[in-house]
Amino acid sequence: MRGFTTIGLCIVMTSCMNLLGPTKSVNLSVGSVRDIDGVTPYVVYVPTTYNATTALPALLLIHGAGGTGPDFILNWTDFAESHGIILVAPTLDLSAEAEVHAPGLLRAIMDAVRAAWTVDSSRIYVFGYSGGGYFAYDAALL
């Protein structure tokens, strides 16, 4: 029985460590947009294979409650590198009051990203985790 407890504890500890995210350092571009609720910051990760003459797809990542864009984006950089995808991760107020403005806010963020990098507008994807899932649904209204 003691062996199972130790194994179980190791599995739980490993799982919790994975929730903290990777500890690697990546090069993120920082931006912000102003909307009715104030200024919303976002970060962008562009794969090292980026070439301005070729439009890349973009993945808009929306963190869960208590999260931030910079923390959330770190979990996706390996995926972006291997698939040639630009990552965009805002830090949002996920309250119900702020959700009303989500479609316009997310559109403004993507407009700013498209102005800075060559993004294939027909291949913009959204992933929302937990509370960010509500905003991902709102992004479908774009």
Side-chain angles (χ1 to χ4, degrees), residues 9-24 63-76 127 129-130:
L9 181 59
C10 289
I11 291 171
V12 169
M13 287 176 63
T14 302
S15 296
C16 289
M17 289 171 60
N18 288 338
L19 289 175
L20 296 176
T23 57
K24 65 183 175 183
H63 61 81
T68 68
D71 290 340
F72 196 41
I73 206 169
L74 292 177
N75 296 307
W76 290 83
F127 176 84
Y129 171 74
S130 187

Side-chain angles (χ1 to χ4, degrees), residues 10-92:
C10 289
I11 291 171
V12 169
M13 287 176 63
T14 302
S15 296
C16 289
M17 289 171 60
N18 288 338
L19 289 175
L20 296 176
T23 57
K24 65 183 175 183
S25 175
V26 297
N27 188 17
L28 300 176
S29 297
V30 178
S32 64
V33 294
R34 181 172 295 282
D35 73 335
I36 195 165
D37 292 325
V39 176
T40 299
Y42 63 88
V43 292
V44 178
Y45 177 80
V46 180
T48 56
T49 57
Y50 175 76
N51 177 332
T53 61
T54 304
L56 294 181
L59 178 59
L60 179 60
L61 299 168
I62 306 173
H63 61 81
T68 68
D71 290 340
F72 196 41
I73 206 169
L74 292 177
N75 296 307
W76 290 83
T77 56
D78 290 340
F79 178 82
E81 276 298 320
S82 64
H83 292 88
I85 297 175
I86 295 172
L87 302 176
V88 182
T91 296
L92 300 171

